[in-house]
């Protein structure tokens, strides 16, 4: 069809997949149930609720923890809501306020430092920190001078990359003169050089041995960690003990000591440009020691518990420790920082390098991979690849629409009133925030083969219109296949509604590229299809054939069980028919559709499976040898092949074994760690070559200080920003907050949640004033009854997740009325406000007459002491809200949430009241600001503060 827009990451794990482990180099292992059952000593659940969210792992996780506990193991749960996973597995619940994970970790690290160094910087006996290990393996925990290091390169030739490793890897040159003399032993040659499948921009030839080439820079400069900027300096604040602690005792420390005698060059030197008048709590805390009292005041966890957690992690007798992160922990305004802080804790406590010591999301059973199963494939050799385009964050689709249609939206009255931290009218680009890729979506000048041209400065060339301005592409068409992101799963559906209703209807001008059009292909009339231009009915899972992936097992062919009603189509047939229609318009007949179906007109999935089965049935090595098609259809499952439970022995990796031996010796020589951290990484990493050349270099050690994190952020999408450069404007992303201080720092510092809400709710820019002392922190977890919003209108599940006004648990029974709005709804231009609401038992926030025992709302969990103080009874209908939106919900009073917290489970459908605009559907995203998560421009959809507005 000509190509498609590309995006990266997803709404479930944006922050985690963005950060990964590339910035820190952390290499702890994941674990399965066998490992936990037989090897792991302790499990720490950082808010994990996998028993509800990863059903395939539930039994194995429960059983493996039971077996671990029989060996004396324990489970700690940390979080604001005692979710089902915590109730089932945990021995101890540390009741922590949401968004404060990093503060907890910093308090733990302070305790580790406090037990290791006295007030004069002398080492104590029996301290928690292994200082020699940190010097050898960790970059950025202490301040350090710049230095040059021999890299772990492999020796090659001019035609091949070899396998022999540099025997001097890890050697440090502390002064520039010596380093330069070593660098001068190599001639740098500019490529590109293609060796096998890899292309290298440079290579280096050894002057003494001209047959020796390397394709990795042989000696690199590692930037200094400036005085007072290291992680430990920030943790200690004004506590000066580490400015008195000497660098000594091992190879790295001795090298550093020749230029920098003390571990930290100063107390914390992070400052606010506004000084004492700063509005940011984060900056006011720069000089505060991040001790256990500081952490306790923020998190709500007692000081002794914070010390106990630190001693759990830093005492090697407690290892292996398996740490389980969760989606809510990373899907926050500062979710990337939470991931950074957690990896820093695990690095510093040596939670890596042996069986069971690691970090993961779930520890399920062993995967059953049967040999000899069907190999079903399709060949489409004549389908071209999509042309190169900016790969933007998946959370920036709405921004991409606003970028394309700013003039039209402005003319039609779009105000962005639900984004209080944005001055939309004075926004030149129409793009909210900096930037996630949306302002890179111009129309590009391409060669005949689709390659984008570059100008003399190295920027991609853009096309201009008749007015001389660049042609904006943005997003002009969305095919929304089985998704509810545009209206419901994205933050701030009130803004999405205002935006969609201010766009000219694409359905009235389908061939006009200056109108936006959204087509939804779905089997639910959820909020996103309701605000689409066209809605096409999709067959359900049982009404279409498919090949599905089974968690922990082989793929499975599903035949049609029941025919789809009316015009509903399978995904396969919908695509086939769509391409036939496109081919007709392009004058190529069914050529496109036939390419899609593998060169055979109208070929179906069943045909592909039958072909594969026919080959398997005559193959003696196949599980299906000698069987008939009927045999296969009646029992398509592959037999179980996973081995029975067998205890796992704790073993160390080669690196960990070598390291432990090194630390047990005199440590006078360089240690070759081989830790790999990314230098140029993340989406939008299209930079000018000069920018690439100046990117901070990896140290070969673990990083708890990452100058590349900041550098990559500031230069993201740079090569796509030639138009901005031509106007003398900054390219990349502005690393500035409301006071022109950095948004992104190189360490996992604690960003106070109050600052995020003051930014997102329009306090920093003077639009609003808020009394946060009366606000409640809100997150939105999965409950046990529903996955996302797919089952929001399921009548049976609604009874388990909704309650009538004043009713008991599970009293919701609007199953016969909810969503019963007819199969066809045609809304003309300007009449969207008349769209029939989903819940027709409610009017103006109350049950309509005669429906008092039917009308129901979603429930929120509220601490019993908070409820008593507010005068709220269990089952009471209340309104909670903030400057982004308001929802009506039923209060569930419980002691399973911490004080100051309200829990609204995710998955409800947006259903605003036509009179007051309050969402009676209970969609959690109605309360979520569009301000993206820090660093990755992701979806901070677990971050909200709400006020009780009506009770």
């Amino acid at each position: 069809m000509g190509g498609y827009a590309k995006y990266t990451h997803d709404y479930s794990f944006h922050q985690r997949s963005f950060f990964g482990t590339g910035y820190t180099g952390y290499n702890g292992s994941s674990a399965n149930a066998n490992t936990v059952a037989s090897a792991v000593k302790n499990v720490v659940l950082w808010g994990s609720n996998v028993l509800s969210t990863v059903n395939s792992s539930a039994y194995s996780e429960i059983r493996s923890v039971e077996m671990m506990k029989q060996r004396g193991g324990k489970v700690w749960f940390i979080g604001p809501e005692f979710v089902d996973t915590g109730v089932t597995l945990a021995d101890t619940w540390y009741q922590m306020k949401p968004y404060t994970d990093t503060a907890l970790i910093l308090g733990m690290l302070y305790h580790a430092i406090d037990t290791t160094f006295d007030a004069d910087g002398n080492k104590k006996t029996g301290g928690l920190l292994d200082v020699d290990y940190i010097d050898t393996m960790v970059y950025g925990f202490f301040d350090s001078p710049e230095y040059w290091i021999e890299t772990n390169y492999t020796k090659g030739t001019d035609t091949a990359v070899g396998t022999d490793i540099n025997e001097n890897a890890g050697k440090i040159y502390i002064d520039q003169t010596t380093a330069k003399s070593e660098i001068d032993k190599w001639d740098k040659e500019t490529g590109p050089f293609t060796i096998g499948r890899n292309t290298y921009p440079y290579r280096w030839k050894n002057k003494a041995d001209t047959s020796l080439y390397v394709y990795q820079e042989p000696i690199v400069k590692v930037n200094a960690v400036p005085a007072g900027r290291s992680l430990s300096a920030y943790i200690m604040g004004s506590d000066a003990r580490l400015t008195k602690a000497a660098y000594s005792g091992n190879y790295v420390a001795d090298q550093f000591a020749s230029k920098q005698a003390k571990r930290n060059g100063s107390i914390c030197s992070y400052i606010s440009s506004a000084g004492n008048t700063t509005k940011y709590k984060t900056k006011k805390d720069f000089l505060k020691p991040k001790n256990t009292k500081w952490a306790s005041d923020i998190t709500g966890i007692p000081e002794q518990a914070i010390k106990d957690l630190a001693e759990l992690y830093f005492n090697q007798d407690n290892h292996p420790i398996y740490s389980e992160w969760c989606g809510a922990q990373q899907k926050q305004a500062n979710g990337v920082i939470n991931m950074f802080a957690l990896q820093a804790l695990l690095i510093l406590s040596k939670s890596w390098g042996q069986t069971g010591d690691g970090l993961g999301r779930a520890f399920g059973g062993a995967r059953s991979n049967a040999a000899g199963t069907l190999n079903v494939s399709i060949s489409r050799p004549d389908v071209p690849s999509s042309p190169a385009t900016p790969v933007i964050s998946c959370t920036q689709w709405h921004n991409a629409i606003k970028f394309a249609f700013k003039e039209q939206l402005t003319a039609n009255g779009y105000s962005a009133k639900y984004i209080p931290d944005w001055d939309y009218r004075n926004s030149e680009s129409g793009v909210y925030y900096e930037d996630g890729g949306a302002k890179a979506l111009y129309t590009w000048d391409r060669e005949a083969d689709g390659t984008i041209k570059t100008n003399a400065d190295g920027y991609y060339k853009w096309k201009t219109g008749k007015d001389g301005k660049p042609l904006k592409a943005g997003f002009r068409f969305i095919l929304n296949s089985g998704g509810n992101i545009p209206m419901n799963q994205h933050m701030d559906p009130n803004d999405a509604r205002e935006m969609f209703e201010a766009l000219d209807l694409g359905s009235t001008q389908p061939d006009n590229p200056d109108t936006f059009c959204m087509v939804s292909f779905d089997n639910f009339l959820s909020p996103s299809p309701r605000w689409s231009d066209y809605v096409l009915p999709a067959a359900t899972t049982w009404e279409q054939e498919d090949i599905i992936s089974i968690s922990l097992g082989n793929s499975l062919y599903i035949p049609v069980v029941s025919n789809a009603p009316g015009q509903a189509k399978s995904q396969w047939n919908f695509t086939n028919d769509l391409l036939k229609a496109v081919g007709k318009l392009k004058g190529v007949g069914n050529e496109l559709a036939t390419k899609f179906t593998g060169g055979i007109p109208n070929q179906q999935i069943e045909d592909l499976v039958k072909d594969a089965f026919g080959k398997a049935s005559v193959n003696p090595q196949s599980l299906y040898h000698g069987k008939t098609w009927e045999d296969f259809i009646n029992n398509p499952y592959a037999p179980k092949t996973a081995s029975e439970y067998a205890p796992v022995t704790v073993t160390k990796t080669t690196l960990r074994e070598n390291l432990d031996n090194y630390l047990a010796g005199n440590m006078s020589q360089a240690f070759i760690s081989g830790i790999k951290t990314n230098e140029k990484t993340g989406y939008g990493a299209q930079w000018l070559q000069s920018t690439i050349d100046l990117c901070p270099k990896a140290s070969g050690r673990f990083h708890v200080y990452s100058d590349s994190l900041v550098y990559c952020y500031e230069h993201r999408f740079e090569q796509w920003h030639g138009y901005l450069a031509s106007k003398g404007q900054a390219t990349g992303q502005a690393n500035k907050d409301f006071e022109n201080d950095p948004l992104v720092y190189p360490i996992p510092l604690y960003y106070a949640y109050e600052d995020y809400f003051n930014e997102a709710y329009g306090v920093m820019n003077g639009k609003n004033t808020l009394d946060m002392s009366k606000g409640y922190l809100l997150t939105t977890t999965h409950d046990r009854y529903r996955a996302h919003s797919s089952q929001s209108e399921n009548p049976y599940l609604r009874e388990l997740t909704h309650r009538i006004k004043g009713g008991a648990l599970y009293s919701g029974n609007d199953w016969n009325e909810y969503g019963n709005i007819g199969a066809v709804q045609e809304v003309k231009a300007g009449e969207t406000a008349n769209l029939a609401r989903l819940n027709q038992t409610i009017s103006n926030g109350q049950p309509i007459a005669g429906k008092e025992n039917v009308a129901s709302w979603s429930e929120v969990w509220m601490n019993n002491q908070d409820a008593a103080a507010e005068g709220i009874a269990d089952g009471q209908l209340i309104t909670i809200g903030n400057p982004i939106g308001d929802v009506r919900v039923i209060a569930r009073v419980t002691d399973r949430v911490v004080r100051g917290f309200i829990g609204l489970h995710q998955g409800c459908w947006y259903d605003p009241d036509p009179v007051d605009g309050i969402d009676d559907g209970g969609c959690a995203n109605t309360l979520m600001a569009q301000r993206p998560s820090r660093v990755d421009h992701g979806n901070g959809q677990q971050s909200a503060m709400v006020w009780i507005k009506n009770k």
Side-chain angles (χ1 to χ4, degrees):
M1 290 176 65
Y4 54 88
K6 299 176 183 178
Y7 63 89
T8 186
H9 307 316
D10 58 47
Y11 274 71
S12 295
F13 305 117
H14 197 289
Q15 294 76 11
R16 166 64 181 172
S17 59
F18 168 87
F19 191 73
T21 57
Y23 287 104
T24 65
Y26 177 69
N27 59 6
S29 62
S30 59
N32 61 25
N34 278 5
T35 304
V36 172
S38 58
V40 170
K41 292 183 180 179
N42 295 282
V43 172
V44 181
L45 304 174
W46 291 85
S48 174
N49 192 21
V50 295
L51 299 191
S52 293
T53 60
V54 187
N55 295 331
S56 60
S57 296
Y59 172 77
S60 56
E61 190 143 336
I62 292 171
R63 184 72 185 108
S64 63
V65 165
E66 288 175 346
M67 297 175 70
M68 182 192 74
K69 289 184 177 182
Q70 289 170 5
R71 296 186 291 104
K74 291 186 179 297
V75 178
W76 284 262
F77 179 83
I78 304 171
E81 178 180 339
F82 205 25
V83 296
D84 291 344
T85 302
V87 172
T88 306
L89 301 181
D91 298 283
T92 302
W93 173 27
Y94 286 127
Q95 301 183 32
M96 183 182 72
K97 294 178 185 177
Y99 329 133
T100 63
D101 303 60
T102 298
L104 169 61
I105 291 169
L106 294 171
M108 294 165 63
L109 295 178
Y110 179 94
H111 180 63
I113 295 171
D114 189 49
T115 63
T116 305
F117 294 95
D118 66 20
D120 294 321
N122 300 310
K123 283 191 202 177
K124 300 179 183 179
T125 302
L128 293 179
L129 288 182
D130 185 338
V131 178
D132 290 326
Y133 156 74
I134 292 173
D135 288 343
T136 302
M137 290 294 294
V138 183
Y139 170 78
F141 186 68
F142 300 113
D143 299 349
S144 59
E146 69 177 12
Y147 62 95
W148 288 258
I149 188 170
E150 293 253 11
T151 63
N152 205 29
Y153 62 75
T154 55
K155 300 176 181 180
T157 67
D158 62 342
T159 58
V161 176
T163 58
D164 291 339
I165 302 297
N166 171 25
E167 61 274 8
N168 291 317
K171 186 175 182 180
I172 289 174
Y173 304 106
I174 201 68
D175 69 279
Q176 187 172 2
T177 301
T178 304
K180 186 177 183 305
S181 67
E182 294 296 324
I183 294 170
D184 286 344
K185 294 178 180 179
W186 299 86
D187 276 331
K188 182 178 180 181
E189 298 180 350
T190 301
F193 302 100
T194 300
I195 307 294
R197 296 182 178 181
N198 296 319
T199 299
Y200 303 90
Y202 305 109
R203 70 183 182 190
W204 288 259
K205 181 173 67 174
N206 189 277
K207 292 179 180 179
D209 180 358
T210 57
S211 65
L212 173 59
Y213 287 80
V214 299
Y215 294 85
Q216 173 187 342
E217 193 168 358
I219 299 173
V220 299
K221 175 187 172 184
V222 178
N223 288 342
V225 178
R229 297 291 177 122
S230 63
L231 180 57
S232 66
Y234 167 71
I235 291 171
M236 301 310 290
S238 60
D239 186 324
R241 74 181 74 182
L242 294 181
T243 67
K244 307 171 188 176
Y247 259 129
S248 64
N250 55 74
Y251 173 78
V252 173
D254 291 345
Q255 296 298 314
F256 288 174
S258 65
K259 185 176 284 188
Q260 177 182 312
K262 305 301 182 183
R263 293 186 172 275
N264 286 350
S266 77
I267 62 172
C268 178
S269 61
Y270 292 105
I271 61 172
S272 167
S273 60
N276 294 332
T277 64
T278 180
K279 297 179 181 178
Y280 285 84
K281 185 178 185 301
T282 299
K283 302 174 195 177
K284 292 177 181 178
D285 281 1
F286 278 157
L287 284 176
K288 288 185 179 179
K290 314 307 180 294
N291 55 31
T292 52
K293 182 181 185 308
W294 173 88
S296 178
D297 290 344
I298 292 171
T299 64
I301 298 177
E303 282 193 71
Q304 187 57 51
I306 296 173
K307 294 177 181 179
D308 291 344
L309 272 172
E311 289 166 19
L312 171 72
Y313 272 100
F314 281 92
N315 184 340
Q316 294 304 302
D317 291 339
N318 297 324
H319 289 250
I321 300 173
Y322 191 70
S323 299
E324 191 168 89
W325 60 273
C326 74
Q329 183 189 31
Q330 53 91 51
K331 200 189 306 180
Q332 297 179 9
N334 292 301
V336 166
I337 309 305
N338 287 342
M339 294 291 98
F340 194 177
L342 183 53
Q343 289 179 30
L345 169 66
L346 301 184
I347 288 168
L348 293 164
S349 62
K350 295 198 284 192
S351 298
W352 63 274
Q354 62 180 351
T355 307
D357 241 340
L359 174 66
R361 180 169 170 249
F363 40 92
R367 186 175 182 86
S368 175
N369 283 321
T373 56
L374 295 187
N375 180 19
V376 181
S377 62
I378 185 170
S379 177
R380 299 183 177 118
D382 296 328
V383 177
S385 58
S386 184
T389 59
V391 180
I392 72 172
S393 165
C394 66
T395 66
Q396 296 303 304
W397 298 344
H398 295 70
N399 241 350
I401 296 170
K402 292 167 183 171
F403 182 66
F405 295 102
K406 181 175 191 297
E407 291 77 13
Q408 185 182 115
L409 287 168
T410 303
N412 291 345
Y414 173 72
S415 67
K417 61 184 177 182
Y418 298 106
I419 311 179
D421 60 325
W422 186 27
D423 186 2
Y424 168 72
R425 293 285 174 175
N426 292 320
S427 168
E428 181 180 350
S429 67
V431 171
Y432 168 63
Y433 207 78
E434 292 269 342
D435 138 37
K439 71 181 183 195
L441 297 175
Y442 292 106
T443 302
W444 300 103
D445 191 5
R446 301 177 184 271
E447 304 286 359
D449 63 357
T451 303
I452 303 175
K453 300 176 182 178
T454 56
N455 64 22
D457 294 324
Y459 293 104
Y460 292 129
K461 293 182 70 173
W462 61 95
K463 286 186 175 182
T464 57
K466 295 179 180 179
D467 58 2
K469 294 182 179 179
L471 291 174
K472 293 181 178 181
F475 276 17
R476 295 171 182 270
F477 175 84
I478 290 179
L479 175 58
N480 179 44
S481 180
N484 201 6
I485 285 176
M487 275 301 300
N488 208 83
Q489 303 304 92
H490 188 69
M491 305 80 75
D492 197 357
N494 282 329
D495 177 75
R497 178 180 181 177
E498 187 192 20
M499 179 188 72
F500 284 128
E501 292 179 3
L503 291 166
D504 293 340
L505 279 175
S507 56
T508 63
Q509 304 176 65
D511 295 327
N512 183 354
D514 289 325
T515 60
F516 174 79
C517 183
M518 182 161 68
V519 177
S520 283
F521 176 63
D522 209 329
N523 44 43
F524 295 101
L525 196 60
S526 66
S528 294
R530 296 185 77 210
W531 269 272
S532 296
D533 295 277
Y534 299 93
V535 181
L536 305 177
T540 65
T541 300
W542 305 111
E543 294 167 352
Q544 60 182 311
E545 58 176 354
D546 203 354
I547 298 174
I548 63 174
S549 296
I550 298 178
S551 182
L552 304 181
N554 292 87
S555 296
L556 181 67
Y557 171 66
I558 301 292
V560 174
V561 177
S562 176
N563 291 327
Q567 297 179 332
K569 295 180 182 292
S570 67
Q571 296 178 9
W572 183 274
N573 287 334
F574 165 71
T575 306
N576 190 24
D577 290 349
L578 175 63
L579 289 172
K580 288 178 181 179
V582 172
K584 184 177 180 180
L585 287 173
K586 292 190 171 186
V588 295
N590 293 340
E591 178 185 336
L592 300 177
T594 301
K595 286 183 179 181
F596 166 73
T597 56
I600 302 174
N602 299 315
Q603 181 173 221
Q604 297 293 305
I605 294 176
E606 182 184 60
D607 299 322
L608 297 169
V609 177
K610 278 185 173 179
D611 179 67
F613 177 80
K615 297 174 182 176
S617 65
V618 296
N619 181 0
Q621 304 301 316
S622 171
L623 293 169
Y624 306 104
H625 180 246
K627 296 186 181 296
T628 66
W629 175 252
E630 288 70 26
D631 294 333
F632 173 72
I633 290 298
N634 289 332
N635 185 18
Y637 294 94
K640 175 183 176 292
T641 60
S643 59
E644 297 298 324
Y645 168 71
V648 174
T649 302
V650 176
T651 60
K652 294 182 180 180
T653 63
T654 301
L655 174 60
R656 181 61 186 269
E657 189 74 43
N658 291 341
L659 174 67
D660 288 348
N661 291 335
Y662 175 83
L663 294 173
N666 61 25
M667 298 175 285
S668 61
Q669 301 297 316
F671 178 75
I672 304 175
S673 68
I675 297 299
K676 295 185 181 300
T677 53
N678 294 330
E679 296 171 1
K680 173 175 173 282
T681 189
Y683 69 95
Q686 293 79 41
W687 299 348
L688 303 181
Q689 187 60 51
S690 59
T691 300
I692 296 173
D693 292 342
L694 293 174
C695 185
K697 302 300 181 181
S699 69
R701 299 186 285 160
F702 294 121
H703 281 222
V704 297
Y705 174 102
S706 179
D707 43 5
S708 69
L709 181 74
V710 177
Y711 193 86
C712 291
Y713 179 87
E714 293 176 347
H715 293 280
R716 192 161 294 138
F717 296 102
E718 175 187 71
Q719 198 172 11
W720 301 98
H721 292 165
Y723 172 66
L724 299 177
S726 71
K727 297 177 63 180
Q729 297 180 6
T731 60
Q733 298 182 146
N735 188 13
K736 301 289 184 182
D737 65 12
F738 281 93
E739 294 177 346
N740 289 320
D741 289 322
L743 279 164
V744 179
Y745 289 84
I747 58 172
L749 58 80
Y750 171 64
Y751 295 91
Y753 59 76
E754 296 92 339
D755 294 340
Y756 172 77
F757 297 129
N758 279 330
E759 289 175 333
Y761 297 164
V763 176
M764 290 291 185
N765 63 5
K767 284 189 179 179
N768 291 309
T769 57
L770 299 171
D771 183 357
M772 289 197 177
S773 67
K774 296 181 180 179
Y776 289 82
L777 303 177
L778 180 143
T779 68
T780 169
T781 61
H782 289 272
D783 62 31
R784 69 185 74 163
Y785 306 113
R786 179 176 58 218
H788 297 303
S789 74
S790 298
Q791 302 295 328
S792 186
E793 67 175 346
N794 184 308
Y796 302 105
L797 297 184
R798 284 186 66 80
E799 292 184 28
L800 299 174
T801 59
H802 286 66
R803 297 168 70 177
I804 63 172
K805 185 179 179 181
L809 296 179
Y810 319 127
S811 58
N813 59 358
D814 61 1
W815 62 271
N816 198 39
E817 287 90 353
Y818 182 81
N820 189 15
I821 55 179
V824 178
Q825 262 195 302
E826 183 175 353
V827 181
K828 297 179 180 178
E831 295 183 357
T832 315
N834 297 325
L835 198 66
R837 62 181 310 172
L838 291 165
N839 196 331
Q840 298 186 34
T841 66
I842 297 171
S843 177
N844 200 20
Q846 296 295 325
I848 64 174
K851 296 294 183 180
E852 291 82 2
N853 293 321
V854 174
S856 61
W857 288 263
S858 181
E859 64 179 17
V860 291
W861 289 25
M862 186 175 187
N863 180 271
N864 48 5
Q865 296 180 58
D866 287 337
E870 295 280 1
I872 293 174
D874 186 74
Q876 185 171 332
L877 180 65
I878 62 175
T879 300
I880 59 175
N882 55 34
I884 310 302
D886 303 305
V887 299
R888 266 186 286 266
V889 284
I890 297 289
R892 179 174 180 176
V893 178
T894 176
D895 61 359
R896 282 180 56 182
V897 298
V898 300
R899 294 207 67 178
F901 169 83
I902 288 179
L904 174 58
H905 291 158
Q906 63 182 255
C908 292
W909 283 356
Y910 175 66
D911 192 18
D913 185 281
V915 177
D916 60 17
I918 296 175
D919 179 13
D920 284 304
C923 175
N925 286 324
T926 302
L927 304 166
M928 301 297 167
Q930 291 210 42
R931 191 171 184 85
S933 51
R934 195 180 304 269
V935 186
D936 66 314
H937 286 90
N939 49 328
Q941 287 172 273
Q942 293 286 352
S943 296
M945 179 174 279
V946 297
W947 286 260
I948 299 173
K949 296 190 172 184
N950 186 26
K951 53 190 177 182

